[in-house]
Amino acid sequence: MNDSETVLHFIDVLLKESNFTRAASELYISQPYLTQLIKRIEKKLGTKIIDRETIPFTLTQAGVIYYNYLETKITNKQKLTEQLTQYVSPHQEVIRIGVLESLDTFLLPELLPQFLLKNPNIKIQLSENFPRVSEAHLLHEQIDCYLGQTPESLNRGLDFYVNGGESYFVIIPPTSKFFKKGHFILKPQEYDIKEILREPFVVSSTNSAIRHQVNGAFQKFHIKPNIILESSSIITATNLAIKGVGLTISAASIIKRMAQTPINLLPVDQNLIQIKYFIAVKHGQALKPGLSNLIRTFMKLKISPNIR
């Protein structure tokens, strides 16, 4: 079998079930077929890829290499298909969008459904990366546009269109000495922000857009941050803060997605930290009709998530 995705799926199920009969049943194939498939792969490679001597089954060291090879092969195939689309279907416009991970679960569902409804012949390809990576990709024309926040920090080689925004909140869990039982959204002046910023914090990584702003808040008040944990995702940092690992600064669109738990939200002064959403394109770039329509659709959105 030459279908890498199918082989990878078969291996995943076999490792999960640790039994050829149960795995074959879940895959709707015969047990002899699955057994022979694995044996043929191992014969071709000249080594075992699955250790069947112990339960649960595990990949051998050679199996890990083969598994990674299949993953890479699948990824490369997908990239090749994406890159060839403009040549295979020259009359179909492809829009390659770079986007922050924290935004793609909130902003894209607001933008893409109505855009694709009016532009059914447009194909969308997504590239989820940190801001500086997306900026570099846009400057080198590896993507066509970039959806992000805080346009003030954008490279001067980019043009941007701003629409909407939202406020930040400090998440204060019940484990904090600042927590006020029976309250949800505190008054902005409830606490001196300088006192709050001296507390233990969970933060997103230095590559994230929100981290740049949070760092700016610490610097403005000349506070050395007490960072107890970093995550590559602001969504993870938010969840950890809600569970009491430390305080964090997060946005309404992210906090709204989390499970309802007793927390306090302290509004952050918008002069200190504020989100502004934008869609950016390379300066001087000739915009194709679909991309122009996407920008117009973005500018018509009412993007102002809030928490009550």
Side-chain angles (χ1 to χ4, degrees):
M1 177 181 290
N2 294 321
D3 187 344
S4 300
E5 292 184 56
T6 301
V7 173
L8 197 62
H9 179 55
F10 283 8
I11 292 174
D12 283 337
V13 174
L14 182 56
L15 291 172
K16 183 186 70 158
E17 295 295 338
S18 294
N19 180 282
F20 277 87
T21 301
R22 289 197 302 269
S25 177
E26 183 173 331
L27 293 167
Y28 298 99
I29 59 176
S30 69
Q31 177 268 318
Y33 177 82
L34 180 59
T35 301
Q36 289 304 313
L37 173 65
I38 298 299
K39 286 184 176 179
R40 284 199 303 272
I41 292 171
E42 291 179 331
K43 182 178 180 180
K44 183 177 179 180
L45 296 175
T47 183
K48 285 192 174 184
I49 61 170
I50 295 178
D51 183 356
R52 282 95 92 181
E53 302 302 318
T54 58
I55 303 295
F57 288 176
T58 57
L59 291 172
T60 62
Q61 289 186 331
V64 171
I65 294 172
Y66 179 66
Y67 191 95
N68 291 338
Y69 160 77
L70 291 177
E71 288 187 316
T72 302
K73 188 176 179 181
I74 293 167
T75 300
N76 289 339
K77 180 182 177 182
Q78 291 170 341
K79 288 181 179 179
L80 177 63
T81 301
E82 291 177 358
Q83 291 170 357
L84 289 176
T85 299
Q86 57 184 314
Y87 304 107
V88 175
S89 305
H91 302 297
Q92 180 182 39
E93 185 177 341
V94 178
I95 302 178
R96 301 164 298 171
I97 302 176
V99 64
L100 287 170
E101 179 193 3
S102 58
L103 290 186
D104 63 4
T105 55
F106 155 66
L107 196 52
L108 290 181
E110 296 289 326
L111 173 63
L112 291 184
Q114 55 181 295
F115 171 74
L116 291 173
L117 186 64
K118 295 180 179 180
N119 300 270
N121 295 323
I122 300 291
K123 182 175 178 60
I124 300 293
Q125 293 176 358
L126 297 179
S127 175
E128 299 161 316
N129 279 301
F130 288 120
R132 295 307 178 204
V133 175
S134 290
E135 286 184 34
H137 285 175
L138 187 51
L139 288 168
H140 291 91
E141 300 183 9
Q142 294 171 286
I143 56 176
D144 302 300
C145 63
Y146 162 41
L147 282 168
Q149 61 191 49
T150 61
E152 296 82 0
S153 62
L154 277 176
N155 187 293
R156 292 186 180 181
L158 303 178
D159 295 331
F160 58 88
Y161 306 82
V162 176
N163 180 26
E166 58 178 308
S167 300
Y168 281 114
F169 296 87
V170 178
I171 295 177
I172 304 175
T175 52
S176 170
K177 65 182 180 182
F178 291 99
F179 179 75
K180 289 197 171 183
K181 190 175 181 180
H183 294 72
F184 181 42
I185 299 180
L186 305 177
K187 295 178 181 179
Q189 66 273 20
E190 195 85 34
Y191 294 116
D192 184 343
I193 190 66
K194 288 185 285 186
E195 288 187 68
I196 296 294
L197 292 175
R198 291 190 179 97
E199 290 297 291
F201 263 75
V202 181
V203 295
S204 55
S205 67
T206 54
N207 292 320
S208 69
I210 190 171
R211 178 65 182 279
H212 290 299
Q213 293 183 299
V214 172
N215 283 348
F218 285 122
Q219 291 165 6
K220 180 175 181 178
F221 295 110
H222 306 288
I223 294 172
K224 183 178 180 180
N226 179 10
I227 296 173
I228 57 176
L229 192 62
E230 282 191 13
S231 170
S232 61
S233 168
I234 184 57
I235 297 173
T236 301
T238 301
N239 259 322
L240 290 171
I242 289 173
K243 296 298 182 181
V245 175
L247 306 189
T248 200
I249 297 177
S250 192
S253 59
I254 295 172
I255 299 169
K256 286 174 69 173
R257 297 178 236 165
M258 306 305 171
Q260 296 296 316
T261 30
I263 56 171
N264 291 160
L265 298 179
L266 178 67
V268 178
D269 188 333
Q270 291 191 359
N271 292 320
L272 185 63
I273 300 178
Q274 182 186 20
I275 286 179
K276 293 179 185 177
Y277 297 118
F278 67 80
I279 183 168
V281 295
K282 185 177 179 181
H283 178 68
Q285 175 184 353
L287 302 182
K288 294 181 180 179
L291 184 53
S292 295
N293 289 340
L294 182 69
I295 292 172
R296 281 194 289 270
T297 303
F298 172 79
M299 294 302 293
K300 290 179 182 178
L301 293 177
K302 296 180 179 179
I303 315 169
S304 56
N306 55 66
I307 299 176
R308 297 175 182 175

